[in-house]
Amino acid sequence: MPRRLTGRIVIATHNGGKLVEMRELLAPFGIEAVSAGELGLPEPEETGTTFAENAAIKARAAASASGLPALADDSGVCVAALDGAPGLFSARWGGPAKDFGAAMARVEAELASRGATDDRAHFVSALVLAWPDGHEELYEGRIHGTLVFPPRGGAGFGYDPMFRPDGHARTFGEMSSEEKHGIDWSAAAPEPLSHRSRAFLALAKACFAPRA
Ligand code: ITT
């Protein structure tokens, strides 16, 4: 049974781009959100073999260190012609400098070295909301699209400039965050756009009080 959440939570991320998006997605629900960075929580080692496992590791660590419910996202971009890479290792491809220009260049170079013609990719987001007593909720979202080289746009973060979601002419890097979320709260609304907003909307429907 999904558990309802009110009050204060920790956003268990140290990634500034993700933090901005997660705060935006939480904003309509009147939930007070503090980040793992603001609380000085350490970054746990991501030893899982799936996005869901890594999200659970991060959420559990933040919940037990803070005594508050914690929301973590584990995500990545999976390139079909690279057998799903960088996938779980998307953050690591940015290296210690978190240089995603270099990571996108590596994707392009690896595709070229394989002579790949398939330009399909998808983003995945696994969101885990963990309570200090061990209760957990998991919701996942994904969005399919094509790769664009050279990457386009300076908005967003990470691999956004090289990814054009299906049905759209622009990359995530060329969209405002509102467009990237693509959330329309009306009852007959179509699915949100990004992997993260898709996972988030499912979680919000189950765990957050209805919007006023
Ligand atoms: P935390 O673990 O502290 O949350 P992280 O950056 O290490 O931060 P992940 O392990 O989940 O997070 O790595 C996901 C990487 O995938 C992230 O660093 C981005 O480069 C990329 N990524 C995930 N979602 C993305 C999005 O919406 N747009 C662009 N890139 C994204």
Side-chain angles (χ1 to χ4, degrees), residues 13-15 18 46 58 75 157 159-160 180 195-196:
T13 182
H14 289 82
N15 176 320
K18 252 192 218 180
E46 296 182 28
K58 293 186 272 193
S75 46
F157 67 99
Y159 299 84
D160 278 339
K180 181 182 169 187
H195 48 307
R196 184 163 297 104

Side-chain angles (χ1 to χ4, degrees), residues 39-200:
L39 292 179
L41 304 182
E43 276 189 71
E45 213 188 322
E46 296 182 28
T47 53
T49 56
T50 63
F51 292 109
E53 282 174 15
N54 280 341
I57 288 168
K58 293 186 272 193
R60 279 176 206 146
S64 76
S66 67
L68 293 169
L71 178 61
D73 162 290
D74 200 67
S75 46
V77 64
C78 305
V79 175
L82 300 182
D83 306 315
L88 269 192
F89 303 100
S90 294
R92 277 165 255 184
W93 278 36
K98 301 187 197 296
D99 181 350
F100 291 100
M104 291 187 284
R106 178 173 167 192
V107 171
E108 187 178 16
E110 296 210 5
L111 287 170
S113 75
R114 292 185 189 203
T117 52
D118 181 355
D119 61 359
R120 308 281 307 151
H122 65 271
F123 270 111
V124 178
S125 164
L127 287 177
V128 170
L129 182 56
W131 274 257
D133 68 2
H135 181 83
E136 284 177 18
E137 304 278 346
L138 162 69
Y139 295 88
E140 288 188 295
R142 60 180 59 202
I143 173 71
H144 291 269
T146 54
L147 297 172
V148 173
F149 295 109
R152 296 195 317 235
F157 67 99
Y159 299 84
D160 278 339
M162 71 166 201
F163 184 82
R164 185 174 61 76
D166 287 346
H168 292 259
R170 287 173 299 141
T171 67
F172 275 162
E174 296 173 299
M175 294 184 184
S176 65
S177 63
E178 209 171 44
E179 288 173 286
K180 181 182 169 187
H181 298 322
I183 292 187
D184 174 345
W185 296 103
S186 67
E191 204 174 14
L193 183 58
S194 82
H195 48 307
R196 184 163 297 104
S197 56
R198 288 178 176 190
F200 182 84

